Amino acid sequence: MIENPFGEFAKECEALLRNALVSLDPNYASIRLEFEIPPALEFGELASSICFELSKNLKKPPLGLAKELVQRIDMRQAKLVERVEFAGSGYLNFRLNYSAATGEILESVNRFGDRYGFVKAEEPKRIMVEHTSVNPIHAIHIGQARNPALGDALARMLRARGHDVVRHYYIDDTGRQTAIIAYGFSKLGMPEIKGKPDHFIGQIYSVTACLVEIQSLKKRIKALEEADAGNDDLSKLKTELNEWVSIAAELESKYPEIFSKLLKEISSDTDPDALVNELLQQYERGEENAKRLIRNVSQLCLGGFEATLSRIGIEFDSWDWESDLIWSGRVAKVVDKLSRTPYVTKMNGTLELDAERIVEDFDLRQLLGVSSEYHVPSLTLTRSDGTTLYTTRDIAYSLWKFERVDRVVNVIGVEQTLAQLHLKMALCALGYKDLALNQRHFAYGLVELPGYKMSSRRGRFITFDEVIDEAVRRAEAEVSKRTPDLPEHQGKQIASTIAISAVKYALLSVEPTRNVVFVWDKVLNFETNSAPFINYAYTRAGGILRKLGEMPAEIEYRMIDDALERRLTFEISRFPQIFCEAADNLRPDDIANYCNMLAEKFHEYYEKFDVIHVKDKALRYARGALIRAIQIVLKNGMAVLGMDLSERM
């Protein structure tokens, strides 16, 4: 039973070619050999262009060298390779021996079952995947939803690869936004939560942030007017104030009760902005009242996050509070240690880290992918009032992480690339270059909604809960249309499974660094490139297998001989290799797109080939074995990304 059929075929191809090269010249015993899959199977299953690379050294034309190597290849030890051919102007094409391989491939899938494809790493590591980490100030919205989908998929993939994986959520509770929501919450008299807590907290945050900003702008404008300051500064502030007044009107219409109460309470404070800053400083100092207030509000919001994420099957092993790092003294120790390095200077009361100098001293440009033309800006470690900034606290958090694991994957948007570079540079300055190189920034692009512009400060965004609800509603309508005889409860359950997988697939199937354009017609398209499309293939396969009944113990795999059947068999054999490369390179989109490709090929097969009504039992069950393998692979591929498939649709 072969765990990785395609991998074994590739190893055999490499061994045959290497032996032929060594017979030509012993110096080629350790030469690097690379293979690629030809554009069509008529050219073989693997191809090598080595003859083009060696022709100059050997002073032979590529085609002549290819012909000679084919003659030198000893096929007596070949099991999975049927033959090797020269082609074009010098390619070597390797053909899979389907007579020997088909049975091995399909039997492996059947016997491994839900473990098929998940080849374990030779050197498993302890890995922490930190993901989601949305600030506890409002509900998770669709613009942030890609993070938990990607982070959870990465954790599942790495765990299936054999690594010891832990999933962590970093709670940024010491930022100014958290102090704003706590200030507003207290001004409302610690109100009873109405509805889902993170949604309610978000309403309070939007209104409070708006009213605090308006008060601050009015104060600055008044000061400039009294000082008879320049018109440019005054004009800019007045324009900004007008914009915030417009935002206030919009928020008042959306949340009249909250707005009315907060307007009254905040207007009574002479300087709300200063009160927010003072609350933040009190929290960093660990003063009890501030701790109780901010922790309480944050936990209410996090409870809402947990409810949302549990709907889509996402959980965490640890919720890490940023404030704990400060109160434990870890952040202060990091600042003190950095201050003792030659890379920190004091400027206008702030501490600045000379990142550019660190890059040059530690020769980091190539290691961190920083171009020679790019000047790395300095990193501010502390404000003039002594409070620390996010990246400073993140340095302490990174050191805390590496006390527990060997590798760290930070799932953070591509817009945080500089902050993540600063983090690695700071680790190098502290003497932890090895840790910096074992910390991976998994960068991802944004989610775009055509025709809709989100704005957190206007409270104008579509929550992830709303997206899930809408997906379920649309899926229910589709399921009801396709299978109207289903009992209502069963239809709802199927629709929920399809909807959640559809949303996840839309967020996962695009290359991570590219933006996702979220369009409902694509997300729930049952005809192409979507989770419902893949699910439909899985369900169709299950329907055939149910009608076939119990499969015989012995299958005549030689009956599977059509070109499309061979292509399906070949693609099934590739799944373990696809998985290994995707897990090692952190590319969940590769697995998603592989599942879509396999579904496409199966739908084509379903339309062209009969299975149930074939009179020849041997052929019928051989095709059944192929379909069973396809169903297993589709289920495994989607499951390792966190997507369930429904047995019925």
Side-chain angles (χ1 to χ4, degrees):
M1 189 166 58
I2 305 175
E3 185 178 23
N4 184 356
F6 178 78
E8 291 300 314
F9 171 63
K11 286 180 184 177
E12 194 171 295
C13 292
E14 182 177 348
L16 291 171
L17 179 55
R18 189 176 301 282
N19 290 338
L21 285 167
V22 169
S23 73
L24 187 67
D25 186 335
N27 291 321
Y28 290 137
S30 59
I31 189 173
R32 180 180 174 84
L33 297 176
E34 293 184 352
F35 295 84
E36 59 185 27
I37 297 174
L41 288 189
E42 62 189 76
F43 302 116
E45 283 70 29
L46 279 178
S48 171
S49 60
I50 191 68
C51 297
F52 297 96
E53 300 168 30
L54 300 181
S55 62
K56 288 184 179 179
N57 291 339
L58 295 172
K59 297 180 180 179
K60 294 181 181 182
L63 183 57
L65 180 56
K67 289 179 179 179
E68 183 176 353
L69 285 173
V70 167
Q71 292 177 342
R72 288 176 176 271
I73 287 175
D74 184 359
M75 295 297 296
R76 288 176 296 179
Q77 300 301 315
K79 294 181 180 179
L80 297 176
V81 179
E82 183 178 39
R83 62 184 184 275
V84 185
E85 302 166 339
F86 56 84
S89 55
Y91 284 97
L92 291 171
N93 292 340
F94 295 77
R95 294 193 177 277
L96 179 65
N97 184 346
Y98 285 94
S99 297
T102 299
E104 291 275 8
I105 293 166
L106 299 185
E107 280 295 320
S108 292
V109 179
N110 186 45
R111 292 184 183 179
F112 277 106
D114 60 8
R115 294 180 293 114
Y116 177 72
F118 304 133
V119 180
K120 305 306 178 190
E122 292 182 5
E123 298 181 6
K125 304 289 185 182
R126 297 175 303 156
I127 301 176
M128 181 185 297
V129 179
E130 186 236 307
H131 70 86
T132 306
S133 303
V134 174
N135 293 349
I137 58 171
H138 55 59
I140 299 171
H141 57 68
I142 184 59
Q144 300 165 319
R146 202 176 182 200
N147 193 311
L150 286 166
D152 183 65
L154 293 175
R156 291 172 186 268
M157 290 162 60
L158 291 169
R159 188 168 287 169
R161 190 77 168 101
H163 299 293
D164 181 7
V165 180
V166 287
R167 304 153 299 179
H168 283 232
Y169 189 114
Y170 185 45
I171 307 166
D172 179 8
D173 60 324
T174 59
R176 190 170 186 277
Q177 291 175 316
T178 313
I180 288 172
I181 177 58
Y183 169 72
F185 197 78
S186 66
K187 283 295 178 183
L188 289 174
M190 313 298 282
E192 182 181 343
I193 299 297
K194 296 179 181 178
K196 198 163 176 286
D198 50 334
H199 291 236
F200 185 64
I201 293 293
Q203 295 170 16
I204 298 172
Y205 170 76
S206 295
V207 175
T208 304
C210 176
L211 295 176
V212 168
E213 190 63 26
I214 287 174
Q215 287 280 79
S216 176
L217 286 168
K218 285 181 176 179
K219 184 177 180 181
R220 290 162 64 191
I221 289 170
K222 183 180 180 182
L224 285 175
E225 287 176 337
E226 290 176 350
D228 196 21
N231 290 332
D232 284 349
D233 289 340
L234 193 58
S235 177
K236 287 178 183 178
L237 288 177
K238 286 183 175 180
T239 299
E240 194 174 346
L241 176 61
N242 289 336
E243 183 183 354
W244 277 105
V245 169
S246 170
I247 293 171
E250 191 174 327
L251 292 172
E252 184 177 17
S253 66
K254 290 172 69 174
Y255 318 121
E257 185 178 348
I258 290 174
F259 190 92
S260 175
K261 290 181 180 179
L262 282 174
L263 177 62
K264 179 181 178 182
E265 293 296 325
I266 292 175
S267 297
S268 65
D269 286 334
T270 305
D271 193 347
D273 194 58
L275 292 174
V276 168
N277 292 336
E278 176 59 26
L279 179 59
L280 182 60
Q281 291 173 36
Q282 290 172 356
Y283 191 58
E284 281 209 23
R285 292 194 297 266
E287 294 185 16
E288 197 57 42
N289 288 339
K291 284 176 67 174
R292 187 163 48 248
L293 173 60
I294 291 180
R295 276 288 173 108
N296 177 47
V297 177
S298 297
Q299 285 173 330
L300 287 170
C301 201
L302 292 171
F305 291 175
E306 284 188 271
T308 298
L309 296 172
S310 68
R311 289 183 70 185
I312 58 174
I314 294 178
E315 298 177 342
F316 291 90
D317 300 299
S318 178
W319 297 71
D320 308 329
W321 293 83
E322 188 177 50
S323 52
D324 285 341
L325 293 170
I326 296 174
W327 300 337
S328 67
R330 283 178 174 268
V331 177
K333 288 178 182 177
V334 163
V335 172
D336 179 64
K337 191 171 181 181
L338 279 171
S339 298
R340 297 173 188 273
T341 70
Y343 305 108
V344 174
T345 56
K346 196 164 189 176
M347 298 176 61
N348 300 321
T350 67
L351 290 180
E352 297 287 329
L353 182 71
D354 190 344
E356 177 74 12
R357 185 178 170 189
I358 295 171
V359 168
E360 301 306 332
D361 286 1
F362 288 89
D363 195 22
L364 296 177
R365 290 196 180 272
Q366 186 173 355
L367 284 174
L368 300 184
V370 180
S371 70
S372 57
E373 296 81 17
Y374 180 66
H375 174 77
V376 186
S378 64
L379 169 66
T380 303
L381 296 172
T382 63
R383 301 183 185 91
S384 57
D385 62 6
T387 56
T388 54
L389 282 85
Y390 179 86
T391 305
T392 313
R393 301 188 289 268
D394 212 9
I395 299 166
Y397 185 40
S398 290
L399 294 173
W400 181 89
K401 290 175 182 178
F402 280 110
E403 291 173 5
R404 292 154 176 79
V405 295
D406 308 308
R407 288 173 54 196
V408 171
V409 179
N410 292 330
V411 184
I412 304 175
V414 69
E415 72 279 1
Q416 292 295 319
T417 298
L418 177 58
Q420 288 294 301
L421 281 174
H422 273 150
L423 176 57
K424 292 182 178 183
M425 293 166 190
L427 289 174
C428 290
L430 288 168
Y432 300 113
K433 186 175 181 180
D434 56 330
L435 302 188
L437 297 180
N438 277 306
Q439 181 158 277
R440 167 79 179 268
H441 173 207
F442 182 86
Y444 64 91
L446 303 173
V447 178
E448 299 176 1
L449 297 174
Y452 187 89
K453 187 175 182 180
M454 289 190 286
S455 171
S456 293
R457 64 181 183 175
R458 288 181 180 269
R460 186 192 295 166
F461 51 77
I462 299 175
T463 68
F464 199 15
D465 290 312
E466 290 173 312
V467 170
I468 296 169
D469 290 341
E470 178 64 12
V472 171
R473 186 189 68 77
R474 288 172 180 255
E476 282 179 356
E478 189 66 31
V479 170
S480 178
K481 182 174 69 177
R482 288 170 177 266
T483 49
D485 58 327
L486 276 177
E488 184 179 353
H489 73 280
Q490 190 175 359
K492 286 184 177 295
Q493 185 176 11
I494 291 171
S496 178
T497 299
I498 293 171
I500 289 169
S501 293
V503 172
K504 282 187 174 182
Y505 183 89
L507 300 171
L508 292 170
S509 59
V510 176
E511 184 179 342
T513 53
R514 291 176 55 199
N515 287 359
V516 169
V517 180
F518 196 90
V519 180
W520 282 116
D521 288 346
K522 292 182 179 179
V523 173
L524 283 165
N525 188 335
F526 282 68
E527 306 302 325
T528 185
N529 196 17
S530 69
F533 175 71
I534 295 168
N535 204 140
Y536 191 33
Y538 176 81
T539 303
R540 272 181 157 180
I544 293 172
L545 294 174
R546 282 192 296 273
K547 290 177 182 177
L548 272 180
E550 187 176 350
M551 301 276 283
E554 298 295 326
I555 304 289
E556 295 185 41
Y557 295 106
R558 61 180 177 79
M559 304 295 290
I560 301 173
D561 199 40
D562 179 84
L564 182 53
E565 291 175 326
R566 286 189 169 201
R567 175 62 187 269
L568 282 163
T569 302
F570 175 64
E571 296 298 351
I572 289 167
S573 77
R574 291 180 60 220
F575 177 60
Q577 195 73 15
I578 294 285
F579 163 73
C580 290
E581 292 176 4
D584 294 346
N585 298 320
L586 304 184
R587 289 296 299 269
D589 56 310
D590 285 349
I591 296 177
N593 290 312
Y594 166 83
C595 289
N596 180 67
M597 177 276 300
L598 186 61
E600 283 181 344
K601 295 299 176 188
F602 171 74
H603 283 303
E604 181 184 349
Y605 185 69
Y606 182 90
E607 297 296 337
K608 291 182 178 179
F609 290 82
D610 189 8
V611 178
I612 303 300
H613 305 103
V614 173
K615 292 182 180 180
D616 187 328
K617 283 187 176 182
L619 177 59
R620 187 193 314 155
Y621 288 117
R623 287 180 175 173
L626 175 63
I627 290 170
R628 178 175 60 190
I630 291 168
Q631 193 188 42
I632 290 171
V633 171
L634 287 176
K635 186 172 185 177
N636 289 359
M638 296 292 275
V640 80
L641 298 179
M643 291 178 278
D644 295 327
L645 295 177
S646 176
E647 299 295 330
R648 294 191 65 180
M649 288 184 75

